[in-house]
Amino acid sequence: KTKESFLNPADAADLSSIVLGLASLASDTTAAVAVRCEAFGALRAAAATHAAAVASHWRDTRVQAALPGLMFATRQNPVANKDQGSAEDRAAHASARFLAEFLIAAGGGKAAAALSAAVENDEISSAAAEDVGGSRKGSRKALAFALQPEASVALWTSVAAEHFPAMAAHASPLVRASGLSALTGLTLEALRGVSKAHRATLTETPRVLARSDDSANVRAAACRAVGALASFETADRFYETETDADSETVVGSLASDAALLVAAMRDGSKSVRLPASWAVANVCGALSFSAPAPPPRAEAD
């Protein structure tokens, strides 16, 4: 098909039918890395603009094989050939970016605006959404795909158990940074729904990398993640649900994050100092919600 024909939203049905083929090509280690990266690029674009079509095949083994958890597991030992290692890192980076783009779209993040424009008149959207526990929200002029809470929790459980640790521990700083950017798609419902261990994986890893990673790009991405996650520390206070943390624990956690980010504001790299400054503002905003209310002032006689 021509490029112009794929710009028609009605072609989402065609996209759905080729997702599995793209995933198979992307994970095929016998194919040229340039070809694999092109396949990942197509999957990433599909995740951003036709998330329902990608989601309808998410549990398929061919899609799972293209994700970091399984794809990185095939490379247990360092590659002796530097050029080959660099090529594999390119494919790993492409895989991490694909996962991040889907998580952002499925969580209603920055990809939602592009998705809204692309899915209008999409004949497969409703069926695909129902298959994966998704929903369509809004009017015909502003449709957006988002996973239902149960499906979102299941997705992030697999991310925390398999994919996020693989990305955070990868030798390439580009992969580690892309893994941290995936947290942009995390929702409060998903974070509350995963296990304590998985919640710790998702929230503590950015703090560790912000302190100790040797790459400025990774430290910058980690600072952004810490700042973005700060609002989740207090959000449960506005819901009628049980929470593991009382007010003092929340304040202590946020204060620790603030200290971490203030230290990052003195980083030798400007690319770290800027996101650290932004993140500190987020943490301070969260602290203002967590601080105990002052006692009422006594009225003067």
Side-chain angles (χ1 to χ4, degrees):
K1 287 199 170 187
T2 65
K3 178 180 179 181
E4 289 74 16
S5 69
F6 274 115
L7 295 178
N8 185 344
D11 281 329
D14 295 326
L15 177 62
S16 181
S17 67
I18 65 172
V19 163
L20 296 180
L22 287 170
S24 295
L25 180 58
S27 61
D28 185 359
T29 57
T30 65
V33 170
V35 175
R36 295 174 63 194
C37 288
E38 287 294 328
F40 272 122
L43 286 170
R44 191 170 67 251
T49 57
H50 292 290
V54 176
S56 65
H57 296 296
W58 194 252
R59 299 185 186 95
D60 190 279
T61 55
R62 287 161 288 188
V63 173
Q64 291 297 310
L67 297 175
L70 286 178
M71 190 172 139
F72 298 179
T74 61
R75 187 182 170 190
Q76 297 290 343
N77 301 313
V79 178
N81 186 309
K82 183 177 179 180
D83 292 336
Q84 182 183 354
S86 176
E88 287 298 325
D89 286 347
R90 286 175 56 200
H93 184 213
S95 172
R97 292 180 67 193
F98 165 48
L99 175 60
E101 196 68 58
F102 177 74
L103 292 173
I104 292 168
K110 68 179 182 180
L115 177 63
S116 297
V119 301
E120 190 168 5
N121 298 322
D122 181 350
E123 295 178 356
I124 69 157
S125 298
S126 297
E130 292 174 0
D131 286 344
V132 295
S135 64
R136 291 280 169 180
K137 300 178 181 179
S139 65
R140 286 178 58 83
K141 293 184 179 180
L143 297 175
F145 174 80
L147 290 177
Q148 294 285 10
E150 297 82 1
S152 182
V153 169
L155 173 62
W156 278 98
T157 294
S158 68
V159 169
E162 305 168 30
H163 309 304
F164 190 66
M167 292 185 290
H170 198 276
S172 168
L174 291 176
V175 174
R176 299 197 298 277
S178 292
L180 290 164
S181 72
L183 293 174
T184 307
L186 185 61
T187 63
L188 174 62
E189 290 77 10
L191 188 62
R192 290 165 58 198
V194 300
S195 69
K196 290 182 181 179
H198 291 150
R199 193 179 311 146
T201 296
L202 296 172
T203 57
E204 291 299 326
T205 301
R207 292 165 175 151
V208 172
L209 295 179
R211 291 188 189 96
S212 60
D213 201 277
D214 59 4
S215 166
N217 287 338
V218 177
R219 295 196 302 276
C223 287
R224 293 189 198 97
V226 172
L229 292 170
S231 60
F232 291 155
E233 294 280 1
T234 57
D236 267 341
R237 285 157 47 83
F238 302 98
Y239 288 81
E240 294 181 357
T241 92
E242 293 184 359
T243 175
D244 295 327
D246 57 20
S247 181
E248 291 183 1
T249 302
V250 170
V251 170
S253 177
L254 289 171
S256 176
D257 287 343
L260 167 66
L261 293 168
V262 168
M265 290 171 63
R266 296 190 287 269
D267 194 277
S269 172
K270 183 179 180 180
S271 65
V272 177
R273 296 195 298 271
L274 290 177
S277 301
W278 168 85
V280 164
N282 262 26
V283 171
C284 289
L287 274 168
S288 69
F289 284 107
S290 301
R297 296 179 60 182
E299 294 183 3
D301 293 336

